[in-house]
Each structure stands twice: as C-alpha cells, then as structure tokens.
Amino acid sequence: MQKAAFPNLRHINLALTILSGSSLRSAAKHCNMTQPAASLAISSLEEMLGVTLFERSPRGLMATPYAGVISQRGKRAFRFLRQAMKIACDEQADSSVIVRKVVGLTTAQLLAITALINTRNFFAAAVELGMQPQSLRRTLVTLEGWLGFPLIVNEESGVTLTPRGQQTGQLISQAVWEIRAIRTEIREMDSKMDGTVVIGCVRATASHLIPEAILRLNQQYPSGRFNVLRESYDVMMEGLEAARLDYVCTTLRPKLSSGLTGQVLANSQLRALCSASHPLAGKEVQLHELIDYPWVGPPADTEATITFRQRFTKQGLVPPEFAIETFATEWTQGLVMRSSYLLLCRTTAFGEESPPPGTVYLKGITFGDPHPIWLIHRKDFHPTRFQTTFENILKAVCTSQSSAIPGKTRFAESEVSERV
C-alpha cells in the first residue's frame, strides 16, 4: 500500500499562524516567507489534504471547518516538537531558539527518526522508508548536526539511538502521529472512515476479544484497517509511548510509566487446553491427573509458570516440567490437537465458550486467581473517531460477554501500581 504524502512542517506552521488571527501577509512575514510563497504553501497543503482550508475573500482568508483539524492536531504536534527540541538544546534555551529548531526540521528527518524509533532496527527503518541504508544514515547525521548532540551509535547489534536520541525521537514520533492524524480526521469529517488502529495484545485478548471487536467494527466501516501485534510487554509499552501503537490490551503488570494510563476490560484466567480426543477431555479432572502428561507453557520465570507450579506444591505434589517452553503458543495448538500435550494458557470468558477448533479446556481446573485485562494507552492520547469507535466496541464486547470487575475501572499509574 502506497503511503500518503506527509504534510510540510513549515506549511502547517503557516496555517497555524493564520488561524491565530494573522493575515496572510503578516503570517508570511512571521514565517519568513514572501506573500506569494505563503499563498502557494497554503494551496499546496490544501491540495495534499484534498480540502479547502481557507476561503479566499477580499477581506482575507476565512477558515473552513477543516482548518479546525489543523488547529487541534497541528498545535499538539508542535507541542511535542518543542518538548523534543528542549531536550536537544537545553531546558533553559531561549524560546526563539526552540522555535527555530522546530521549524528547521525537514520532513525527511522527522520520518527517519520516527522509522528508527518504530522499527528499532536501522535496516528495517530504511526498508520502511524505501531508502538505501546510506541515505538514511546521511539523513540521521544531518539531523544530528541540527540537534547538536550524538543521535545514533554504532554497536555490535547495529545502529541504535543514544539514550538522549531515544527520548527526543519518541517525542518526534508522537508529533508525526499527530500530523498523520490530520488527514484521517479530515476524511472522517466527510464520512470516510478508513483510519487505522494499531494494537498490541497478549494471547488471551488476541484469541477472542480483539477479533470480535474488529469483526463488529469492520461490519460498520469495512474500509478500516487494523494492525494487531504480539510483542514483549516492555516493547509494547515503549511502542505506546512512541505512538507506534495506539493501544495495548494486556494483563496487568507492576507499574505503568507516568505517560500511560489504562482501564480494566475483563477478567482472565489461567487454564489448561487439550485435544478434544484427549483422555482427560470432558472429565471433571483432579490435579494429580495432570502430572503424567507432557506440558507446553511459558518460560520458568514468568508469573504464569510460577502460579502454575504453586497450584501443585500447595497440595504437596511435584509440579510437572514444561516439555516445551514458549511465549508464542499459536504454533503449538496443532501439536496439542494431535497429541496428549496439555497447554497452559490465559483465557477470558470468551475462551470458555469457543476454544480453538479441535481443542477443549479441562473441566474443574484453573490456576491462580482471575487477572484483569487492561486497555492501556497514552495519557495525552487523542484518538481519531475511528479509533474511538474501536475502543467503545471493545468495551461493549467485554460488557456484554464478560463479568465486570467490581469498583473503579479507570486508574492513574499510581493506582495501577497499588493493585499489584
């Protein structure tokens, strides 16, 4: 799929200056442009977005409703960029220096560091941008010169961002997300619901919750797009903060960073999955009966495995060892379906009704207490209409099919940590 053109930062800055009440002539002067160049810049921005942002009249430029999207998203983007430049320059740097640094950023530089943040791999970033690695390196080196500090470092694993570069890059990535959302929201104003939701998840949500929400939303808006990712928890949290992910749907972990928040969607429960033809299938199973069968489960240091083992030790039994250890259990389901293997997995109320074809959950056996499933996003996340609809449908799915967790459902990060 061909990627949409990216709006010029100087053109957005010009539009914001006009929207603040300046005439075209004054805005052009403020943005160091000639008036004809400013007029052409506005026309170019309108052509790229496919709408009229300003009506021309003898009294000057009059903003249309579409310009409101530029105002909201553009201001947010520039706020993130100013924060990034404060890190690059100095917290005490003069505001005029910060503004000059912001408007001096090129589209190529913005997209280059965003791609490196999103892919976490230099060569993958080059592929995403359709660039040769040498060209990407030159762009990043030029950006280093503009920012005034080392942005990238060569390590044995490849080219990576420095800690300061990572912090700056995350803010730039959030700004890029806001600028890209301009086109999406303008299309939504014309009832063109073809936006994208990028969501990270764990198996319990990937198996039932997320597919059900996508199915319902697709029935309303068939042109919408979804990118569902299963990654390690830390990588997903990092992706949220860098605006690579819109949401993460996962079980609760010890603490969210200050920039993230979330709410409880449903309960999850550790259970055992087996083949529908397994000797234990359909029986009321006793714990000691599970010891003699081979198991598939996550690595030994995970909470799920620790909980699993405690279930046996509390009854004086020796816990069975996992014959296969893996986080990615999808590939093992075929093995489980054709053998006597048992699979430890976390499921929701949905899983109880519809396990994977050819398999069943053991009756009468669970491991540990129910865990909440959380929907996590950035605190300052302003979703598009399509993303908001997805979130509402996901909540509706959980409300209609899953038992609600008593008490409050939305917490700041400090409240989240207290529940661990």
Side-chain angles (χ1 to χ4, degrees), residues 65-75 181-183 185-186 189:
Y66 296 114
V69 178
I70 296 282
S71 178
Q72 294 175 7
R73 293 292 181 182
K75 286 178 180 177
I182 291 173
R183 183 191 299 273
E185 288 206 337
I186 284 176
M189 289 178 69

Side-chain angles (χ1 to χ4, degrees), residues 21-34:
S22 298
S23 65
L24 179 61
R25 177 182 297 178
S26 298
K29 183 178 181 181
H30 178 80
C31 296
N32 295 317
M33 297 180 178
T34 64

Side-chain angles (χ1 to χ4, degrees), residues 53-337:
L53 298 171
F54 298 96
E55 297 287 357
R56 280 70 170 171
S57 74
R59 293 180 296 172
L61 301 181
M62 304 295 293
T64 67
Y66 296 114
V69 178
I70 296 282
S71 178
Q72 294 175 7
R73 293 292 181 182
K75 286 178 180 177
R76 286 176 54 79
F78 272 84
R79 176 166 59 83
F80 288 127
L81 290 174
R82 286 193 298 271
Q83 291 174 3
M85 293 306 101
K86 283 183 179 180
I87 294 172
C89 300
D90 191 319
E91 287 290 343
Q92 307 302 320
D94 187 83
S95 59
S96 62
V97 174
I98 298 297
V99 171
R100 182 176 65 83
K101 287 288 187 181
V102 168
V103 298
L105 293 167
T106 68
T107 297
Q109 291 168 349
L110 294 173
L111 298 183
I113 191 169
T114 296
L116 191 54
I117 283 284
N118 289 347
T119 62
R120 307 180 306 283
N121 180 283
F122 180 80
F123 291 101
V127 170
E128 179 177 299
L129 295 168
M131 299 174 67
Q132 293 296 321
Q134 300 91 328
S135 299
L136 176 57
R137 183 183 292 275
R138 284 195 296 270
T139 301
L140 291 171
V141 168
T142 302
L143 179 56
E144 277 188 331
W146 183 246
L147 295 178
F149 69 90
L151 190 65
I152 56 177
V153 60
N154 292 305
E155 297 181 342
E156 290 184 5
S157 58
V159 178
T160 59
L161 290 166
T162 62
R164 193 175 177 188
Q166 179 76 19
Q167 191 177 6
T168 303
Q170 282 193 345
L171 289 165
I172 291 177
S173 182
Q174 290 186 54
V176 167
W177 189 95
E178 294 290 342
I179 294 172
R180 284 176 170 155
I182 291 173
R183 183 191 299 273
T184 301
E185 288 206 337
I186 284 176
R187 290 181 63 80
E188 289 177 349
M189 289 178 69
D190 291 333
S191 300
K192 297 174 182 176
M193 300 289 283
D194 54 2
T196 301
V197 176
V198 184
I199 182 165
C201 61
V202 294
R203 183 193 178 281
T205 57
S207 298
H208 303 283
L209 294 181
I210 303 302
E212 179 65 22
I214 289 176
L215 177 62
R216 294 190 190 186
L217 185 55
N218 183 254
Q219 290 170 346
Q220 292 185 38
Y221 306 115
S223 297
R225 299 181 298 277
F226 304 89
N227 190 358
V228 182
L229 305 173
R230 284 193 62 193
E231 301 171 325
S232 72
Y233 180 81
D234 291 337
V235 169
M236 289 194 294
M237 294 300 104
E238 182 180 298
L240 269 183
E241 297 197 87
R244 178 173 64 88
L245 301 178
D246 302 317
Y247 301 98
V248 168
C249 194
T250 184
T251 50
L252 181 63
R253 297 302 166 95
K255 185 175 176 63
L256 296 178
S257 72
S258 60
L260 301 177
T261 188
Q263 67 183 107
V264 173
L265 291 177
N267 279 318
S268 68
Q269 180 67 61
L270 273 178
R271 305 188 67 185
L273 185 76
C274 69
S275 167
S277 59
H278 194 284
L280 299 181
K283 295 175 53 180
E284 287 290 339
V285 179
Q286 300 299 315
L287 192 63
H288 67 84
E289 297 180 81
L290 308 181
I291 296 176
D292 296 329
Y293 291 96
W295 278 84
V296 179
D301 59 348
T302 60
E303 181 185 8
T305 298
I306 294 171
T307 300
F308 171 80
R309 294 180 64 82
Q310 287 175 346
R311 180 79 160 81
F312 289 89
T313 56
K314 285 180 179 179
Q315 293 194 18
L317 300 172
V318 177
E321 298 293 334
F322 291 151
I324 301 175
E325 288 189 359
T326 179
F327 279 117
T329 56
E330 292 87 349
W331 69 270
T332 65
Q333 289 180 6
L335 172 67
V336 170
M337 189 170 59

Side-chain angles (χ1 to χ4, degrees), residues 389-406:
T389 305
F390 170 80
E391 183 177 338
N392 290 338
I393 287 178
L394 184 60
K395 293 174 185 176
V397 169
C398 295
T399 300
S400 63
Q401 299 188 40
S402 179
S403 299
I405 295 178

